[in-house]
């Protein structure tokens, strides 16, 4: 079992930056590939970014490519999402997820553990 707790969300103006963190506890997160997803009101949960077990491979949704950066610190059991040049359409609840596999999965169904989410609101 892995417990995931997100932090770092908040209200920011368009063009601003936020850094999300996801702290993992229980069975250490270094055994899992991890990802970030988001869900806006009335919409399905969608993939944002993922990183492989080793940290050597990252994948991004087209909508966030070149603006967001995912990284992990296995020594600290923490996953990060650096979000720059934020847009109002980035407004959503952001979820951290972990999967028992090596690859950076892009589908909701590939992940076994989820955090409670952190709200990100971008004002225009």
């Amino acid at each position: 079992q892995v417990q995931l707790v997100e932090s770092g969300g908040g209200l920011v103006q368009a063009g601003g930056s936020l850094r999300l963190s996801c702290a993992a506890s229980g069975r250490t997160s270094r055994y899992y590939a991890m990802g970030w997803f988001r869900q806006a009101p009335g919409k399905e949960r969608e993939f944002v970014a993922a990183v492989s077990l080793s940290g050597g491979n990252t994948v991004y949704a087209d909508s966030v490519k070149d603006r967001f950066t995912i990284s992990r610190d296995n020594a600290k059991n923490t996953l990060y999402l650096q979000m720059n040049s934020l847009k109002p359409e980035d407004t959503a609840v952001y979820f951290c997820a972990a999967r028992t596999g090596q690859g950076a999965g892009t589908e909701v169904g590939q992940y076994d553990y989820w955090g409670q989410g952190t709200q990100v609101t971008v004002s225009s």
Side-chain angles (χ1 to χ4, degrees):
Q1 284 284 350
V2 175
Q3 292 77 46
L4 304 172
V5 179
E6 303 94 338
S7 62
L11 174 64
V12 64
Q13 288 188 334
S17 298
L18 283 175
R19 188 194 197 199
L20 304 184
S21 299
C22 173
S25 60
R27 191 174 179 184
T28 182
S29 67
R30 67 174 177 265
Y31 296 113
Y32 300 86
M34 300 188 75
W36 288 99
F37 290 76
R38 66 187 182 186
Q39 188 167 15
K43 296 188 177 181
E44 293 187 352
R45 193 168 298 189
E46 65 174 8
F47 169 73
V48 175
V51 58
S52 63
L53 176 64
S54 68
N57 184 42
T58 56
V59 183
Y60 296 92
D62 288 343
S63 59
V64 307
K65 202 171 294 183
D66 299 324
R67 299 189 297 123
F68 291 10
T69 302
I70 189 172
S71 61
R72 64 189 298 166
D73 185 337
N74 287 342
K76 295 182 178 180
N77 290 334
T78 303
L79 177 73
Y80 302 100
L81 184 69
Q82 178 66 44
M83 305 186 295
N84 299 328
S85 302
L86 283 161
K87 304 175 181 180
E89 51 263 45
D90 294 318
T91 295
V93 177
Y94 283 70
F95 297 90
C96 166
R99 65 185 297 258
T100 51
Q102 295 188 14
T106 62
E107 302 293 331
V108 170
Q110 293 177 299
Y111 287 81
D112 305 292
Y113 304 102
W114 293 85
Q116 293 299 308
T118 185
Q119 177 71 48
V120 171
T121 302
V122 184
S123 63
S124 57

